[in-house]
Amino acid sequence: MCETCSSTLTRRGVVAGLGAAGLAAIPLPAGAAGRRPHRVLVFSRTTGFRHASIEVGVETIRQLGAEHGFAVVHTEDQRRIRARHLRRFTAVVFLNTTGNVLDDHGRRDLRDFVVSGGGWAGVHSAADTEYDWSFYTRLLARGRFLCHPVEQPGVIVRENPDHVATRHLPRRWQIPFEEFYSFTDNPRPRARVLLSIDESTYQQDPNTSQLPSEEQPFPPPEGVTGVMGDHPMSWQHRIGDGLSWYSALGHEIDMYVDPDYRQHLLGGLLTATRHGRRHLSA
């Protein structure tokens, strides 16, 4: 979700230059009989705010797949979230989705895919999605979007130095310009936190809860605070036999040409697809 979106780069310019950002090679495990091939379904349907970075994000994931040995299929058709289609995949990625994006059949089949061993990865406003579906709240370890301030610099803290999505990062990672989410609940009691944000390095308030909307044309001036104290920004956890990985980063177009962010995203994709390959039958 964002009412103020800007970028110093155009989508066309970013897409043209994506291949210039070199990444460390992360090999996928060799094939094994009875396992699905690594194949990732990227889903970016929106029924609320639509991020300008979606096109670049899809192209980034396609390039990462080509470079690191996993197939990528992109769709915004909710009818593709069906058991007969999902059996071809090892992971599903919700890339900057917003609002309610699945029908009842899709909800049922995505839930079954994950709890039976599939991988799920959520990027940025995946946390601003499917508010009235309790299973999706479980996917996010209850870390649903609450609010965000204006885009600004901030410092991300690497909490896990060994995870494939974070081991390349410095202990303190300076982000030059991004939209930083606050969440309705802290996922830490239910998830393995990979990244957090140092709240002393950016302003959490004022935030979107103080802005007029269709639901609340005259919001109270105090709104809600974006201050969390302990403020996770990326995490993962098991859900049934499956695995959920989430990163709050990925709003700005510029992020997708940042080698550190691309490697972070790649690590999340590999975490999800490797899990699905290990736990799903062919």
Side-chain angles (χ1 to χ4, degrees), residues 8-277:
T8 59
L9 299 177
T10 66
R11 281 176 287 177
R12 181 175 298 177
V14 172
V15 170
L18 281 173
L23 298 179
I26 304 177
L28 287 164
R35 293 184 178 180
R36 300 183 190 189
H38 286 286
R39 187 188 298 262
V40 172
L41 179 63
V42 180
F43 186 61
S44 57
R45 184 176 185 229
T46 58
T47 60
F49 177 82
R50 186 166 181 88
H51 283 76
S53 59
I54 286 176
E55 177 187 355
V56 177
V58 170
E59 182 61 23
T60 297
I61 295 173
R62 283 183 173 139
Q63 289 196 0
L64 293 175
E67 294 166 2
H68 296 275
F70 57 90
V72 175
V73 175
H74 171 240
T75 188
E76 296 202 345
D77 184 353
Q78 64 177 322
R79 293 171 298 180
R80 307 301 290 181
I81 309 296
R82 294 288 190 270
R84 64 182 180 275
H85 300 302
L86 294 177
R87 66 172 58 102
R88 301 170 51 218
F89 295 94
T90 46
V92 175
V93 180
F94 273 39
L95 174 66
N96 277 332
T97 51
T98 57
N100 286 340
V101 293
L102 297 177
D103 58 20
D104 290 342
H105 294 293
R107 287 181 171 187
R108 178 198 63 205
D109 290 351
L110 179 62
R111 180 196 63 214
D112 291 348
F113 171 82
V114 173
V115 299
S116 64
W120 181 87
V123 176
H124 190 57
S125 64
D128 190 20
T129 300
E130 294 289 333
Y131 278 92
D132 61 351
W133 185 23
S134 60
F135 177 77
Y136 198 85
T137 302
R138 290 177 58 201
L139 271 181
L140 293 167
R142 290 170 51 183
R144 285 193 170 277
F145 168 77
L146 174 66
C147 62
H148 68 75
V150 297
E151 296 92 327
Q152 59 190 296
V155 173
I156 298 294
V157 178
R158 184 195 66 192
E159 294 211 12
N160 192 309
D162 302 316
H163 194 278
V164 66
T166 56
R167 65 191 182 201
H168 66 288
L169 293 172
R171 189 177 65 83
R172 293 176 64 81
W173 176 22
Q174 176 70 55
I175 303 291
F177 194 70
E178 176 62 320
E179 180 181 273
F180 299 120
Y181 276 6
S182 294
F183 302 96
T184 57
D185 207 339
N186 190 327
R188 191 180 295 275
R190 295 163 293 279
R192 176 186 180 191
V193 174
L194 307 176
L195 298 174
S196 58
I197 191 165
D198 182 343
E199 289 191 337
S200 72
T201 65
Y202 81 107
Q203 292 186 329
Q204 295 84 51
D205 302 318
N207 61 66
T208 48
S209 71
Q210 285 104 33
L211 296 176
S213 65
E214 290 185 8
E215 297 79 14
Q216 191 169 244
F218 302 102
E222 68 275 9
V224 298
T225 182
V227 176
M228 292 180 64
D230 176 25
H231 198 143
M233 293 293 282
S234 179
W235 58 85
Q236 74 176 54
H237 69 117
R238 294 289 298 268
I239 183 163
D241 289 331
L243 181 138
S244 167
W245 179 91
Y246 172 77
S247 178
L249 303 173
H251 168 84
E252 285 292 320
I253 290 174
D254 308 54
M255 294 294 288
Y256 294 89
V257 293
D258 181 330
D260 282 337
Y261 178 71
R262 285 167 64 91
Q263 193 84 26
H264 171 61
L265 178 60
L266 172 63
L269 297 171
L270 292 179
T271 296
T273 189
R274 286 170 171 170
H275 185 92
R277 182 166 166 80

